[in-house]
Amino acid sequence: MLLLIIVSTALAVVGSNVIELTDKNCHTVQTGEWFIKAYAPNCGASQSIATPWIKLGEWALDKHYNIAEIEISAESLFSNQLLVKKTPALFHVKDGVFTHFQGIINSNQYRGKVDTWTTFLSENMSEQLEPLTWYKCPGSITMILYAHLTVKFKIPAESSILILTVAFSMIAIALLSVSLKLVKTKFCKLELSGKDE
């Protein structure tokens, strides 16, 4: 009996077509179309949309959408790159372009139904959303560095942002300085060649 319960539970998770994202497989969201739920296991709102999310995965089984979820407390490198401020948070990704789905996630409206999500996906409503800016997208150099500073080195988020701001400002100043030197050198050569004539 216990074996039957374990097997049926495993089949329900596998059959749901909801992909569990981890720090190791999160690179896969850069291609194809994805709808991602970032959740915390102890969050009531996250728990209330767990069953509808599985139903969304079943709906997407024969379609080109990848329905995924990531536990933000367990997979911190990728979830830190998503800059999740509260859970659940939903993201749509199409060929590496991230948008933050800010539709209604109220548990009372989603008990047992996924109409809004299926409409959002099937009618390409993500095109109406503003994509995340390049430096806030997971996979960008800024977000990779941010995740490493906050997770690997345990530097607080605010300090990590300050470090990155200073570092990128210094790089920008250095590039501007080099550019100005090149322009100055070019104009000096033109000026000197004009005097020779």
Side-chain angles (χ1 to χ4, degrees):
M1 181 71 170
L2 181 62
L3 181 61
L4 181 62
I5 293 171
I6 293 171
V7 170
S8 65
T9 304
L11 288 176
V13 172
V14 172
S16 73
N17 197 37
V18 175
I19 301 162
E20 186 67 36
L21 290 176
T22 65
D23 289 337
K24 291 184 180 10
N25 70 357
C26 64
H27 65 279
T28 58
V29 303
Q30 296 295 335
T31 56
E33 189 165 0
W34 294 78
F35 203 28
I36 303 168
K37 173 183 74 170
Y39 72 97
N42 58 347
C43 168
S46 293
Q47 292 170 359
S48 71
I49 67 167
T51 301
W53 198 255
I54 290 170
K55 289 182 180 182
L56 179 66
E58 291 167 354
W59 170 83
L61 194 56
D62 60 345
K63 297 168 182 63
H64 69 277
Y65 310 110
N66 297 294
I67 308 302
E69 61 185 17
I70 182 165
E71 182 185 336
I72 64 167
S73 57
E75 304 301 331
S76 51
L77 275 176
F78 185 61
S79 63
N80 272 11
Q81 291 182 47
L82 290 171
L83 294 174
V84 175
K85 292 180 175 46
K86 67 178 190 171
T87 58
L90 304 180
F91 296 90
H92 180 265
V93 187
K94 188 170 186 179
D95 297 323
V97 177
F98 282 75
T99 56
H100 187 204
F101 178 83
Q102 297 178 359
I104 303 165
I105 309 176
N106 186 317
S107 60
N108 294 330
Q109 294 177 330
Y110 284 117
R111 263 189 227 285
K113 64 180 186 174
V114 295
D115 296 342
T116 302
W117 295 334
T118 57
T119 302
F120 172 78
L121 291 170
S122 59
E123 294 183 10
N124 291 324
M125 295 174 84
S126 64
E127 294 173 2
Q128 299 170 6
L129 297 177
E130 188 72 29
L132 296 179
T133 53
W134 67 269
Y135 60 88
K136 287 185 178 179
C137 282
S140 69
I141 188 69
T142 52
M143 295 315 296
I144 291 170
L145 290 172
Y146 172 78
H148 280 282
L149 288 172
T150 55
V151 176
K152 298 280 186 190
F153 299 111
K154 309 245 185 276
I155 297 173
E158 295 81 10
S159 300
S160 297
I161 291 170
L162 180 64
I163 290 168
L164 289 172
T165 302
V166 169
F168 284 115
S169 296
M170 290 173 65
I171 291 170
I173 290 168
L175 289 173
L176 182 62
S177 175
V178 169
S179 298
L180 289 173
K181 278 194 176 195
L182 289 172
V183 168
K184 183 180 175 186
T185 305
K186 182 73 174 170
F187 280 121
C188 285
K189 283 184 181 178
L190 287 175
E191 215 172 81
L192 291 173
S193 66
K195 286 182 181 180
D196 290 341
E197 294 173 5

Tab-separated table of all heavy atoms in Angstrom, residues 28-69:
chain	number	residue	atom	x	y	z
A	28	THR	N	18.615	26.491	-19.011
A	28	THR	CA	17.701	26.018	-20.058
A	28	THR	C	16.601	27.023	-20.372
A	28	THR	O	16.007	26.956	-21.445
A	28	THR	CB	17.055	24.674	-19.654
A	28	THR	OG1	16.360	24.853	-18.421
A	28	THR	CG2	18.095	23.583	-19.510
A	29	VAL	N	16.322	27.951	-19.464
A	29	VAL	CA	15.242	28.920	-19.711
A	29	VAL	C	15.639	29.978	-20.734
A	29	VAL	O	14.795	30.789	-21.113
A	29	VAL	CB	14.755	29.603	-18.406
A	29	VAL	CG1	14.299	28.566	-17.399
A	29	VAL	CG2	15.792	30.513	-17.815
A	30	GLN	N	16.865	29.978	-21.184
A	30	GLN	CA	17.307	30.974	-22.163
A	30	GLN	C	16.786	30.671	-23.568
A	30	GLN	O	16.848	31.520	-24.446
A	30	GLN	CB	18.842	31.069	-22.178
A	30	GLN	CG	19.439	31.567	-20.877
A	30	GLN	CD	19.060	33.006	-20.558
A	30	GLN	OE1	18.755	33.803	-21.420
A	30	GLN	NE2	19.077	33.338	-19.273
A	31	THR	N	16.282	29.445	-23.791
A	31	THR	CA	15.726	29.103	-25.107
A	31	THR	C	14.316	28.561	-24.922
A	31	THR	O	14.011	27.913	-23.916
A	31	THR	CB	16.585	28.032	-25.832
A	31	THR	OG1	16.694	26.882	-24.993
A	31	THR	CG2	17.957	28.569	-26.170
A	32	GLY	N	13.457	28.835	-25.875
A	32	GLY	CA	12.080	28.374	-25.802
A	32	GLY	C	11.208	29.339	-25.020
A	32	GLY	O	11.608	30.466	-24.716
A	33	GLU	N	10.000	28.871	-24.706
A	33	GLU	CA	9.049	29.710	-23.974
A	33	GLU	C	8.764	29.077	-22.618
A	33	GLU	O	8.405	27.903	-22.531
A	33	GLU	CB	7.752	29.886	-24.768
A	33	GLU	CG	6.838	30.916	-24.170
A	33	GLU	CD	5.729	31.369	-25.122
A	33	GLU	OE1	5.671	30.883	-26.269
A	33	GLU	OE2	4.938	32.220	-24.708
A	34	TRP	N	8.912	29.873	-21.567
A	34	TRP	CA	8.800	29.402	-20.190
A	34	TRP	C	7.864	30.291	-19.386
A	34	TRP	O	7.817	31.493	-19.590
A	34	TRP	CB	10.175	29.430	-19.513
A	34	TRP	CG	11.153	28.471	-20.096
A	34	TRP	CD1	11.861	28.616	-21.249
A	34	TRP	CD2	11.531	27.204	-19.559
A	34	TRP	NE1	12.656	27.525	-21.466
A	34	TRP	CE2	12.478	26.642	-20.432
A	34	TRP	CE3	11.162	26.506	-18.414
A	34	TRP	CZ2	13.053	25.406	-20.196
A	34	TRP	CZ3	11.752	25.274	-18.180
A	34	TRP	CH2	12.678	24.736	-19.071
A	35	PHE	N	7.165	29.664	-18.458
A	35	PHE	CA	6.378	30.385	-17.455
A	35	PHE	C	6.863	29.834	-16.117
A	35	PHE	O	6.730	28.642	-15.839
A	35	PHE	CB	4.888	30.145	-17.674
A	35	PHE	CG	3.992	31.204	-17.104
A	35	PHE	CD1	4.409	32.517	-16.963
A	35	PHE	CD2	2.692	30.895	-16.728
A	35	PHE	CE1	3.557	33.500	-16.457
A	35	PHE	CE2	1.834	31.860	-16.225
A	35	PHE	CZ	2.276	33.165	-16.088
A	36	ILE	N	7.475	30.696	-15.318
A	36	ILE	CA	8.182	30.263	-14.112
A	36	ILE	C	7.507	30.834	-12.864
A	36	ILE	O	7.216	32.027	-12.803
A	36	ILE	CB	9.655	30.724	-14.149
A	36	ILE	CG1	10.352	30.193	-15.397
A	36	ILE	CG2	10.395	30.290	-12.887
A	36	ILE	CD1	11.707	30.831	-15.663
A	37	LYS	N	7.332	29.968	-11.891
A	37	LYS	CA	6.827	30.390	-10.579
A	37	LYS	C	7.981	30.311	-9.588
A	37	LYS	O	8.584	29.261	-9.405
A	37	LYS	CB	5.689	29.474	-10.117
A	37	LYS	CG	5.221	29.756	-8.691
A	37	LYS	CD	4.156	28.782	-8.233
A	37	LYS	CE	4.759	27.432	-7.944
A	37	LYS	NZ	3.860	26.489	-7.269
A	38	ALA	N	8.311	31.437	-8.960
A	38	ALA	CA	9.282	31.453	-7.874
A	38	ALA	C	8.479	31.402	-6.580
A	38	ALA	O	7.592	32.228	-6.361
A	38	ALA	CB	10.141	32.707	-7.935
A	39	TYR	N	8.770	30.419	-5.744
A	39	TYR	CA	7.947	30.235	-4.551
A	39	TYR	C	8.797	29.930	-3.325
A	39	TYR	O	9.963	29.560	-3.433
A	39	TYR	CB	6.939	29.094	-4.768
A	39	TYR	CG	7.583	27.719	-4.779
A	39	TYR	CD1	7.593	26.928	-3.638
A	39	TYR	CD2	8.174	27.210	-5.931
A	39	TYR	CE1	8.182	25.670	-3.647
A	39	TYR	CE2	8.768	25.962	-5.947
A	39	TYR	CZ	8.766	25.195	-4.794
A	39	TYR	OH	9.367	23.963	-4.804
A	40	ALA	N	8.170	30.117	-2.176
A	40	ALA	CA	8.768	29.731	-0.905
A	40	ALA	C	7.856	28.663	-0.301
A	40	ALA	O	6.636	28.844	-0.273
A	40	ALA	CB	8.884	30.926	0.032
A	41	PRO	N	8.421	27.546	0.160
A	41	PRO	CA	7.575	26.449	0.643
A	41	PRO	C	6.732	26.814	1.872
A	41	PRO	O	5.669	26.248	2.083
A	41	PRO	CB	8.567	25.336	0.962
A	41	PRO	CG	9.894	25.989	1.075
A	41	PRO	CD	9.838	27.235	0.252
A	42	ASN	N	7.175	27.778	2.661
A	42	ASN	CA	6.439	28.165	3.866
A	42	ASN	C	5.501	29.348	3.637
A	42	ASN	O	4.920	29.864	4.573
A	42	ASN	CB	7.416	28.483	5.000
A	42	ASN	CG	8.386	29.595	4.628
A	42	ASN	OD1	8.492	29.955	3.457
A	42	ASN	ND2	9.088	30.135	5.603
A	43	CYS	N	5.334	29.756	2.394
A	43	CYS	CA	4.473	30.897	2.049
A	43	CYS	C	3.063	30.389	1.729
A	43	CYS	O	2.896	29.542	0.840
A	43	CYS	CB	5.070	31.631	0.852
A	43	CYS	SG	3.980	32.837	0.090
A	44	GLY	N	2.072	30.920	2.435
A	44	GLY	CA	0.688	30.504	2.214
A	44	GLY	C	0.189	30.785	0.806
A	44	GLY	O	-0.504	29.961	0.207
A	45	ALA	N	0.555	31.945	0.262
A	45	ALA	CA	0.133	32.296	-1.104
A	45	ALA	C	0.766	31.347	-2.122
A	45	ALA	O	0.117	30.942	-3.090
A	45	ALA	CB	0.501	33.744	-1.416
A	46	SER	N	2.027	30.974	-1.890
A	46	SER	CA	2.692	30.013	-2.784
A	46	SER	C	2.001	28.661	-2.725
A	46	SER	O	1.785	28.007	-3.750
A	46	SER	CB	4.167	29.852	-2.407
A	46	SER	OG	4.891	31.019	-2.654
A	47	GLN	N	1.645	28.230	-1.527
A	47	GLN	CA	0.976	26.938	-1.353
A	47	GLN	C	-0.403	26.948	-1.998
A	47	GLN	O	-0.837	25.942	-2.562
A	47	GLN	CB	0.860	26.596	0.134
A	47	GLN	CG	2.200	26.302	0.778
A	47	GLN	CD	2.103	26.204	2.300
A	47	GLN	OE1	1.038	26.372	2.886
A	47	GLN	NE2	3.237	25.933	2.936
A	48	SER	N	-1.082	28.100	-1.962
A	48	SER	CA	-2.444	28.160	-2.494
A	48	SER	C	-2.505	28.057	-4.017
A	48	SER	O	-3.537	27.694	-4.566
A	48	SER	CB	-3.147	29.436	-2.034
A	48	SER	OG	-2.596	30.564	-2.670
A	49	ILE	N	-1.411	28.365	-4.693
A	49	ILE	CA	-1.434	28.225	-6.162
A	49	ILE	C	-0.660	26.989	-6.625
A	49	ILE	O	-0.462	26.801	-7.821
A	49	ILE	CB	-0.929	29.491	-6.886
A	49	ILE	CG1	0.555	29.738	-6.638
A	49	ILE	CG2	-1.780	30.687	-6.541
A	49	ILE	CD1	1.146	30.780	-7.566
A	50	ALA	N	-0.243	26.144	-5.706
A	50	ALA	CA	0.507	24.938	-6.076
A	50	ALA	C	-0.321	24.009	-6.966
A	50	ALA	O	0.155	23.550	-8.010
A	50	ALA	CB	0.990	24.203	-4.824
A	51	THR	N	-1.550	23.729	-6.577
A	51	THR	CA	-2.404	22.829	-7.370
A	51	THR	C	-2.766	23.449	-8.718
A	51	THR	O	-2.651	22.778	-9.753
A	51	THR	CB	-3.667	22.445	-6.579
A	51	THR	OG1	-3.241	21.810	-5.366
A	51	THR	CG2	-4.544	21.492	-7.360
A	52	PRO	N	-3.200	24.721	-8.773
A	52	PRO	CA	-3.444	25.320	-10.093
A	52	PRO	C	-2.198	25.324	-10.984
A	52	PRO	O	-2.316	25.177	-12.198
A	52	PRO	CB	-3.892	26.745	-9.765
A	52	PRO	CG	-4.457	26.662	-8.401
A	52	PRO	CD	-3.637	25.615	-7.700
A	53	TRP	N	-1.013	25.457	-10.390
A	53	TRP	CA	0.217	25.459	-11.187
A	53	TRP	C	0.450	24.086	-11.810
A	53	TRP	O	0.874	23.975	-12.959
A	53	TRP	CB	1.405	25.888	-10.321
A	53	TRP	CG	2.576	26.317	-11.141
A	53	TRP	CD1	3.736	25.618	-11.368
A	53	TRP	CD2	2.712	27.537	-11.877
A	53	TRP	NE1	4.561	26.318	-12.191
A	53	TRP	CE2	3.965	27.507	-12.512
A	53	TRP	CE3	1.893	28.641	-12.051
A	53	TRP	CZ2	4.418	28.550	-13.310
A	53	TRP	CZ3	2.343	29.684	-12.846
A	53	TRP	CH2	3.592	29.630	-13.466
A	54	ILE	N	0.148	23.037	-11.050
A	54	ILE	CA	0.257	21.675	-11.586
A	54	ILE	C	-0.737	21.491	-12.726
A	54	ILE	O	-0.413	20.905	-13.761
A	54	ILE	CB	0.042	20.627	-10.472
A	54	ILE	CG1	1.237	20.641	-9.510
A	54	ILE	CG2	-0.166	19.227	-11.054
A	54	ILE	CD1	1.052	19.833	-8.246
A	55	LYS	N	-1.949	22.028	-12.559
A	55	LYS	CA	-2.953	21.938	-13.630
A	55	LYS	C	-2.503	22.705	-14.870
A	55	LYS	O	-2.746	22.283	-15.996
A	55	LYS	CB	-4.303	22.452	-13.141
A	55	LYS	CG	-4.945	21.508	-12.150
A	55	LYS	CD	-6.293	21.990	-11.705
A	55	LYS	CE	-6.864	20.990	-10.709
A	55	LYS	NZ	-8.185	21.355	-10.251
A	56	LEU	N	-1.825	23.821	-14.676
A	56	LEU	CA	-1.271	24.567	-15.810
A	56	LEU	C	-0.227	23.716	-16.522
A	56	LEU	O	-0.176	23.685	-17.749
A	56	LEU	CB	-0.655	25.889	-15.340
A	56	LEU	CG	-0.029	26.749	-16.430
A	56	LEU	CD1	-1.101	27.269	-17.399
A	56	LEU	CD2	0.742	27.908	-15.820
A	57	GLY	N	0.603	23.013	-15.754
A	57	GLY	CA	1.584	22.104	-16.348
A	57	GLY	C	0.929	21.006	-17.162
A	57	GLY	O	1.407	20.643	-18.244
A	58	GLU	N	-0.187	20.467	-16.663
A	58	GLU	CA	-0.924	19.439	-17.413
A	58	GLU	C	-1.510	20.024	-18.694
A	58	GLU	O	-1.488	19.386	-19.741
A	58	GLU	CB	-2.024	18.849	-16.527
A	58	GLU	CG	-1.468	18.018	-15.382
A	58	GLU	CD	-2.504	17.685	-14.329
A	58	GLU	OE1	-3.662	18.193	-14.405
A	58	GLU	OE2	-2.155	16.950	-13.389
A	59	TRP	N	-2.035	21.248	-18.623
A	59	TRP	CA	-2.572	21.920	-19.807
A	59	TRP	C	-1.485	22.097	-20.868
A	59	TRP	O	-1.722	21.944	-22.060
A	59	TRP	CB	-3.156	23.277	-19.405
A	59	TRP	CG	-3.528	24.153	-20.563
A	59	TRP	CD1	-4.675	24.117	-21.284
A	59	TRP	CD2	-2.730	25.206	-21.130
A	59	TRP	NE1	-4.656	25.080	-22.269
A	59	TRP	CE2	-3.450	25.763	-22.198
A	59	TRP	CE3	-1.473	25.721	-20.840
A	59	TRP	CZ2	-2.974	26.803	-22.967
A	59	TRP	CZ3	-0.990	26.758	-21.615
A	59	TRP	CH2	-1.740	27.285	-22.658
A	60	ALA	N	-0.267	22.421	-20.425
A	60	ALA	CA	0.832	22.711	-21.344
A	60	ALA	C	1.529	21.462	-21.872
A	60	ALA	O	2.424	21.561	-22.693
A	60	ALA	CB	1.856	23.613	-20.652
A	61	LEU	N	1.123	20.306	-21.400
A	61	LEU	CA	1.805	19.057	-21.739
A	61	LEU	C	1.971	18.844	-23.243
A	61	LEU	O	3.021	18.447	-23.708
A	61	LEU	CB	1.051	17.874	-21.119
A	61	LEU	CG	1.764	16.538	-21.076
A	61	LEU	CD1	3.087	16.654	-20.347
A	61	LEU	CD2	0.889	15.511	-20.387
A	62	ASP	N	0.944	19.153	-24.037
A	62	ASP	CA	1.018	18.935	-25.482
A	62	ASP	C	1.236	20.242	-26.256
A	62	ASP	O	0.973	20.324	-27.439
A	62	ASP	CB	-0.252	18.226	-25.975
A	62	ASP	CG	-1.513	19.031	-25.708
A	62	ASP	OD1	-1.453	19.982	-24.896
A	62	ASP	OD2	-2.556	18.720	-26.323
A	63	LYS	N	1.717	21.255	-25.549
A	63	LYS	CA	1.957	22.550	-26.185
A	63	LYS	C	3.446	22.892	-26.105
A	63	LYS	O	4.216	22.165	-25.512
A	63	LYS	CB	1.098	23.624	-25.515
A	63	LYS	CG	-0.398	23.343	-25.701
A	63	LYS	CD	-1.251	24.194	-24.831
A	63	LYS	CE	-2.715	23.867	-24.985
A	63	LYS	NZ	-3.097	22.523	-24.605
A	64	HIS	N	3.844	24.004	-26.665
A	64	HIS	CA	5.266	24.366	-26.697
A	64	HIS	C	5.721	25.166	-25.476
A	64	HIS	O	6.821	25.687	-25.444
A	64	HIS	CB	5.591	25.131	-27.987
A	64	HIS	CG	4.968	26.496	-28.035
A	64	HIS	ND1	3.666	26.698	-28.433
A	64	HIS	CD2	5.462	27.715	-27.723
A	64	HIS	CE1	3.391	27.985	-28.367
A	64	HIS	NE2	4.455	28.630	-27.940
A	65	TYR	N	4.892	25.262	-24.449
A	65	TYR	CA	5.242	26.023	-23.252
A	65	TYR	C	5.927	25.114	-22.230
A	65	TYR	O	5.533	23.970	-22.059
A	65	TYR	CB	3.994	26.632	-22.604
A	65	TYR	CG	3.117	27.391	-23.561
A	65	TYR	CD1	1.880	26.897	-23.928
A	65	TYR	CD2	3.530	28.601	-24.102
A	65	TYR	CE1	1.067	27.582	-24.807
A	65	TYR	CE2	2.730	29.297	-24.979
A	65	TYR	CZ	1.503	28.781	-25.334
A	65	TYR	OH	0.709	29.467	-26.211
A	66	ASN	N	6.909	25.659	-21.553
A	66	ASN	CA	7.555	24.967	-20.439
A	66	ASN	C	7.077	25.626	-19.160
A	66	ASN	O	7.296	26.821	-18.967
A	66	ASN	CB	9.077	25.077	-20.541
A	66	ASN	CG	9.613	24.408	-21.779
A	66	ASN	OD1	9.527	23.200	-21.915
A	66	ASN	ND2	10.143	25.194	-22.703
A	67	ILE	N	6.429	24.875	-18.315
A	67	ILE	CA	5.944	25.381	-17.028
A	67	ILE	C	6.957	24.926	-15.982
A	67	ILE	O	7.275	23.737	-15.897
A	67	ILE	CB	4.532	24.839	-16.712
A	67	ILE	CG1	3.575	25.088	-17.884
A	67	ILE	CG2	4.016	25.437	-15.418
A	67	ILE	CD1	3.423	26.547	-18.290
A	68	ALA	N	7.468	25.882	-15.222
A	68	ALA	CA	8.533	25.552	-14.273
A	68	ALA	C	8.317	26.266	-12.953
A	68	ALA	O	7.512	27.195	-12.854
A	68	ALA	CB	9.887	25.939	-14.865
A	69	GLU	N	9.049	25.813	-11.962
A	69	GLU	CA	9.017	26.467	-10.663
A	69	GLU	C	10.402	26.378	-10.040
A	69	GLU	O	11.186	25.494	-10.368
A	69	GLU	CB	7.954	25.860	-9.751
A	69	GLU	CG	8.150	24.389	-9.438
A	69	GLU	CD	7.002	23.805	-8.630
A	69	GLU	OE1	5.917	24.418	-8.577
A	69	GLU	OE2	7.194	22.729	-8.052
